[in-house]
Amino acid sequence: MIRSSQDGDTWTVTIDRPDKAGALTKEMLTELAQIAEDAQSARLFILTGTGKIFSAGADLDAARAGLATDPVWERLSSAIAALPGLSIAALNGTVAGGAFGMVLACDLRIAVPDAKFFYPVMRLGFLPQPSDPLRLRALIGPARAKMILMAGQKVTAQEAQDWGLVDRIVEGEALLETTQALGQDTLGAEAAHVAGIKRMIG
């Protein structure tokens, strides 16, 4: 359900569970976190999915069993945020719930036009993972973060781009091509230079 591949300094990781809307189990999250922790040599790290939904968040059965508050979510987002290369979420569709964490931890977010973004923690009675509100606020500001986390708003791709949550909207057939093109300067630079610029940006 998690596929990963390496092509030189490019690592591509795919959530491949389209029959379950990309819903995540603890095993899948643990595998994703381990891959991100192992990808320190990656100049370009691409995170994507299959089907029409990137991820609906936690698998419902797993969430009821405690996954919704498991520290594995934070382990995954922390590992992605710590990558020294350029990380890009190539969003093939909607992002919901806990799946926000790994997406927010990426440096850039590219989405298809019909993607939607929502994080229904208020309605479900859970707190978001600790780093998610901070990263969300840094991208879109406190009021818009509250629109998503407290008002439960489902944000369209265009609205997300207007807010700064999404960096570019592209048609599905061009999603990976656009993502790879954005990484070309990073792939052509020295690893230390890439890491240095990323540290300066913060």
Side-chain angles (χ1 to χ4, degrees):
M1 290 181 279
I2 301 298
R3 293 189 286 106
S4 65
S5 62
Q6 292 176 245
D7 182 6
D9 293 321
T10 300
W11 289 48
T12 302
V13 183
T14 305
I15 299 170
D16 189 11
R17 200 186 185 195
D19 56 318
K20 296 291 186 180
L24 298 158
T25 64
K26 182 166 183 177
E27 291 74 21
M28 292 169 69
L29 288 163
T30 300
E31 185 175 358
L32 284 165
Q34 188 63 59
I35 291 168
E37 289 165 355
D38 291 342
Q40 295 301 303
S41 64
R43 307 269 184 91
L44 177 61
F45 183 89
I46 299 170
L47 182 63
T48 192
T50 57
K52 295 185 177 181
I53 296 175
F54 170 75
S55 176
D59 178 90
L60 286 178
D61 290 337
R64 294 187 190 102
L67 182 60
T69 56
D70 195 287
V72 70
W73 299 96
E74 199 71 9
R75 177 188 168 193
L76 171 56
S77 61
S78 296
I80 293 173
L83 290 169
L86 182 66
S87 56
I88 304 178
L91 302 170
N92 55 293
T94 292
V95 178
F100 250 87
M102 67 183 93
V103 170
L104 292 169
C106 288
D107 299 313
L108 301 174
R109 283 150 293 280
I110 313 300
V112 296
D114 59 353
K116 292 181 174 60
F117 301 81
F118 61 104
Y119 202 150
V121 282
M122 287 288 283
R123 178 167 53 82
L124 296 175
F126 298 115
L127 288 174
Q129 295 305 313
S131 64
D132 291 359
L134 301 176
R135 291 193 176 109
L136 190 60
R137 174 182 174 146
L139 287 170
I140 65 176
R144 286 167 173 168
K146 289 170 186 172
M147 285 281 281
I148 292 173
L149 293 172
M150 299 184 74
Q153 293 302 289
K154 187 176 289 188
V155 179
T156 66
Q158 186 58 61
E159 199 170 20
Q161 185 179 40
D162 293 342
W163 288 6
L165 178 58
V166 164
D167 301 296
R168 189 162 290 173
I169 298 172
V170 297
E171 295 295 336
E173 60 271 15
L175 184 64
L176 286 179
E177 181 182 349
T178 300
T179 303
Q180 290 162 351
L182 288 170
Q184 290 310 299
D185 278 11
T186 297
L187 290 170
E190 294 292 331
H193 193 195
V194 171
I197 289 178
K198 188 163 179 176
R199 281 195 303 270
M200 292 173 75
I201 295 170

